[in-house]
Amino acid sequence: MATILILGAGVMGTALCVPAADNDHRVMLVGTPLDGEPIHHMKAGEAHPKLDRPLPENVTILADHEMTPQHMASADLIIVGVSSPGISWAIERLNQTLLTPKPVAFVTKGLDRKDGRIVTYAQTVPGQVANIAAFIGIGGPCIARELADRYPTMSVYASRDRQIAAFAAELLQTPYYRLAVSDDVIGVEACAALKNFFAIGVSAMQTRYPDTTRADGHSKNPTAAAFTQAASEMAMLCERIGGRCDTAFDLAGIGDLHVTVGGGRNSRLGHGLGRNQTVGGMMTSELAGETVEGIDTARVLVELLNTVPSAKTDFPLACAIIAAVLDGGALDFDFATLFA
């Protein structure tokens, strides 16, 4: 039995408590200052507001102010379960409470900047936290509610040290939560961010070309074409960021892109763009107050594409998504540009 501390009581951090607890580990779930409502419900023995059932009894729920360095000291593995806007808070809390080196895994998805380059959190966070013994990136197709309901799920745990990734995977793997291991942590982290971004463009095709004869109202050919284009562009971008292009064609890339297109905030934004709504309009109406991580990725990714002279030819879908995000207009993607 091990002790696992999960920092961030969002839906994914909370869902990861389930396989950890099912393996009879001692699990501590610590909320952020913004997690007051779910922490209140779960302390009362109720389910997280976005999940279907209460957590197992061997999960201890802590508010942010209740966590101490002693909690961190007792942990064999720490998992950071915040979204990209919360990464600064997580870094601060780790520096305050993580006083001895420990491996730290991240479900946080986003791109960062370092020395004028676009990089991943795997390349920037370790230098900002004194006692990260190893950075582990968690990626792959995982809808939090389905994991918490123990549906069969596959993910990938990645670290520069493959043995460290295997150590974390062994702690979390269950008969329903199956975990691959990789040493391409930069590629996994890059794809984790890029799939949110590309899901916007792929999802837009579902509503731009409606098919009223189908139950879901979505045509399939345009979506499949955009999905394939997204996979190709994601592989090339992954390599430019420092990862391996083959990672884009595995769990962290096309696997995660598939489930993200199937639902979530990035997909909802894409559906709006497919109906000729704008990013600004969507973010002040049905997505008001939501974190759409693909938007943050677009704002960073433009800096990379500005260094590529052939960007409009090599990355037409990425350029169309970025233009919609930065210019505030509708998504302008022309299939006639492909294979031209």
Side-chain angles (χ1 to χ4, degrees):
M1 182 181 75
T3 298
I4 299 173
L5 187 148
I6 299 176
L7 193 58
V11 65
M12 185 58 73
T14 304
L16 283 168
C17 292
V18 176
D22 284 352
N23 283 339
D24 294 324
H25 299 311
R26 177 179 174 236
V27 184
M28 294 175 283
L29 177 64
V30 182
T32 74
L34 301 179
D35 291 332
E37 181 186 1
I39 289 293
H40 173 77
H41 283 286
M42 290 186 287
K43 276 179 171 285
E46 302 169 4
H48 186 289
K50 293 185 178 180
L51 297 177
D52 297 332
R53 54 180 59 88
L55 291 173
E57 292 184 358
N58 52 329
V59 178
T60 300
I61 310 297
L62 298 170
D64 175 38
H65 69 273
E66 295 176 309
M67 184 180 67
T68 68
Q70 287 70 37
H71 291 114
M72 281 285 186
S74 69
D76 298 291
L77 174 68
I78 297 149
I79 300 175
V80 174
V82 301
S83 61
S84 53
I87 194 68
S88 296
W89 171 85
I91 289 170
E92 179 181 4
R93 292 299 277 140
L94 287 170
N95 279 322
Q96 291 169 345
T97 58
L98 182 59
L99 305 182
T100 56
K102 305 272 186 180
V104 183
F106 290 78
V107 300
T108 313
K109 301 170 174 65
L111 298 179
D112 208 348
R113 301 170 179 88
K114 183 179 182 180
D115 300 329
R117 296 178 56 241
I118 302 305
V119 295
T120 69
Y121 290 137
Q123 294 151 282
T124 58
V125 170
Q128 298 177 63
V129 180
N131 285 310
I132 288 186
F135 181 106
I136 303 163
I138 299 176
C142 181
I143 296 173
R145 184 182 58 80
E146 294 187 12
L147 175 61
D149 286 343
R150 300 178 175 85
Y151 285 14
T153 300
M154 290 179 66
S155 292
V156 56
Y157 283 42
S159 180
R160 292 182 186 275
D161 184 338
R162 193 181 183 94
Q163 289 186 328
I164 293 292
F167 161 77
E170 185 177 354
L171 293 181
L172 273 294
Q173 182 163 268
T174 68
Y176 59 85
Y177 187 42
R178 308 307 295 170
L179 299 175
V181 171
S182 171
D183 59 7
D184 185 21
V185 65
I186 294 176
V188 167
E189 286 290 293
C191 288
L194 291 169
K195 62 88 181 178
N196 283 326
F197 167 79
F198 280 112
I200 297 171
V202 176
S203 299
M205 301 305 120
Q206 295 179 323
T207 51
R208 176 153 295 177
Y209 302 96
D211 183 348
T212 57
T213 66
R214 294 183 180 273
D216 62 5
H218 300 159
S219 59
K220 305 306 175 187
N221 288 2
T223 304
F227 187 98
T228 304
Q229 182 64 26
S232 175
E233 294 184 25
M234 181 162 47
M236 291 188 289
L237 288 170
C238 180
E239 198 166 35
R240 284 180 177 271
I241 292 168
R244 297 197 298 262
C245 64
D246 60 288
T247 297
F249 298 103
D250 210 325
L251 289 166
I254 59 173
D256 209 354
L257 178 61
H258 174 76
V259 298
T260 306
V261 170
R265 292 160 294 188
N266 295 284
S267 175
R268 286 160 58 197
L269 175 59
H271 287 162
L273 293 178
R275 300 186 188 100
N276 291 319
Q277 295 173 261
T278 65
V279 172
M282 289 287 293
M283 296 308 298
T284 56
S285 57
E286 58 193 273
L287 288 171
E290 299 273 12
T291 298
V292 181
E293 291 180 317
I295 291 178
D296 295 330
T297 299
R299 291 173 177 152
V300 177
L301 192 60
V302 65
E303 298 174 24
L304 174 58
L305 291 186
N306 281 342
T307 68
V308 182
S310 57
K312 290 188 177 179
T313 302
D314 294 342
F315 303 100
L317 183 57
C319 288
I321 299 168
I322 287 171
V325 170
L326 298 187
D327 299 340
L331 181 71
D332 183 15
F333 177 68
D334 184 1
F335 277 102
T337 62
L338 302 183
F339 309 119

